[in-house]
Amino acid sequence: MCKNIFDYDDGDFIHSISDNMAIDSDGDFMMRMGDNMAMDMDTGDIHFNSSWSDDDDED
């Protein structure tokens, strides 16, 4: 389940590794806060991103 999500704040791509966790192009871990928001686990900064949908209902 690897999806590419665009991070509007710093122009990186975020690659999901689970429903709520991802890693960005710089190697920073991100935690999903909502469909269009993620928190950088290193700095605590909130990043706005393209849609990060919940895959539980999708087949």
Side-chain angles (χ1 to χ4, degrees), residues 8-59:
Y8 293 115
D9 288 337
D10 57 13
D12 287 341
F13 278 97
I14 302 170
H15 311 282
S16 66
I17 54 177
S18 73
D19 287 342
N20 293 320
M21 294 299 296
I23 191 165
D24 72 6
S25 306
D26 294 330
D28 299 325
F29 283 99
M30 307 291 278
M31 182 171 68
R32 178 178 185 245
M33 304 300 290
D35 286 345
N36 292 50
M37 194 170 20
M39 181 174 65
D40 186 324
M41 298 301 290
D42 292 329
T43 64
D45 293 339
I46 300 295
H47 292 248
F48 293 96
N49 49 263
S50 62
S51 183
W52 185 342
S53 63
D54 189 6
D55 290 335
D56 290 342
D57 296 332
E58 296 177 12
D59 291 325

